[in-house]
Amino acid sequence: MKKVFSSAFALAMIALTLTSCNKQAPQVDEKPEAAKVANNGMKIAYVEVDSIMSQYKFCKEYSLILQKKSQNIQNTVNAKGRSLQAAAAKFQQDVQSNKYTQQQAEAVQAGLQKQNADLQALQQRLGSEFQNETDKFNKALRDSIQHYLAVYNKDKKYGLILSKAGDNILYADKAYDITNEVIAGLNKAYKGTKK
């Protein structure tokens, strides 16, 4: 009896769902028609983000700056890490050779642990500073592009300019590609960061 009731209940729910879906169908059909009218005549363009990243002078300069900074951080942390490893290895040898009293060994070990904690704190601080600088670069890049596109679009009158990165747009006609114009304009407007 319970199976018949649950089956009947399930069929009733399906019928109710289908009926309610059929009632909503005309509303769904009306929205695309309105969208077609609103989009009629709207100019659309897109920009290849990868091309901007590889050809915009601002990106090239800051990529080099960030790359050098990253390498400096890595070199600093690696050098301090090697120094700490050497000190730890020497400590192990000295302990095995009985060069320390119990108190001296504990003091040296505590010093090595503090150096390790300091190294981790340094690595964390430098990583955080690097992330902040990267975020600042990304914001400046975004602001630069948005500012330029606002000026560029005063004459062009595009209703929508999309960024195409990877496969986020599955198909785009090359006729809508304004990447080269935008890169040329960005590079012309860019003053440089020569220090």
Side-chain angles (χ1 to χ4, degrees), residues 5-194:
F5 177 71
S6 63
S7 296
F9 181 73
L11 287 173
M13 290 304 296
I14 291 170
L16 182 62
T17 304
L18 290 175
T19 305
S20 66
C21 285
N22 286 340
K23 287 180 182 176
Q24 293 176 353
Q27 293 174 350
V28 173
D29 287 341
E30 290 174 17
K31 288 183 182 178
E33 288 298 320
K36 286 180 187 173
V37 173
N39 288 338
N40 192 9
M42 178 172 38
K43 290 174 64 176
I44 297 175
Y46 71 90
V47 177
E48 294 272 357
V49 174
D50 294 344
S51 296
I52 288 178
M53 297 302 286
S54 66
Q55 297 174 30
Y56 182 21
K57 291 176 188 174
F58 175 80
C59 289
K60 288 179 179 181
E61 286 182 16
Y62 271 90
S63 290
L64 287 174
I65 290 169
L66 290 174
Q67 191 175 29
K68 286 178 185 175
K69 186 169 200 121
S70 173
Q71 191 61 49
N72 287 341
I73 290 170
Q74 199 171 14
N75 291 344
T76 300
V77 170
N78 287 345
K80 290 187 181 287
R82 284 189 301 272
S83 173
L84 181 59
Q85 283 179 335
K90 183 179 180 331
F91 171 70
Q92 283 299 106
Q93 288 176 345
D94 290 348
V95 166
Q96 290 174 354
S97 301
N98 292 323
K99 290 189 176 182
Y100 298 118
T101 65
Q102 179 71 23
Q103 286 180 327
Q104 289 173 328
E106 287 174 0
V108 172
Q109 187 174 14
L112 289 173
Q113 288 173 342
K114 183 181 181 329
Q115 285 180 352
N116 187 43
D118 291 346
L119 176 61
Q120 289 176 358
L122 174 68
Q123 188 173 12
Q124 184 81 15
R125 182 178 58 80
L126 293 175
S128 180
E129 287 174 7
F130 182 76
Q131 185 60 49
N132 289 339
E133 187 147 345
T134 301
D135 292 346
K136 193 169 93 174
F137 159 72
N138 287 331
K139 183 183 181 325
L141 173 63
R142 188 173 44 255
D143 290 348
S144 160
I145 292 170
Q146 288 175 342
H147 173 74
Y148 176 75
L149 287 176
V151 171
Y152 170 85
N153 203 36
K154 284 182 183 177
D155 296 331
K156 301 294 182 177
K157 308 283 189 223
Y158 287 108
L160 188 64
I161 299 176
L162 304 170
S163 66
K164 184 174 186 278
D167 61 356
N168 66 347
I169 296 176
L170 298 177
Y171 173 78
D173 189 330
K174 279 301 227 182
Y176 298 106
D177 186 356
I178 59 169
T179 305
N180 291 335
E181 285 180 61
V182 170
I183 290 171
L186 285 167
N187 284 333
K188 185 176 180 184
Y190 182 60
K191 304 296 185 225
T193 59
K194 302 295 181 210

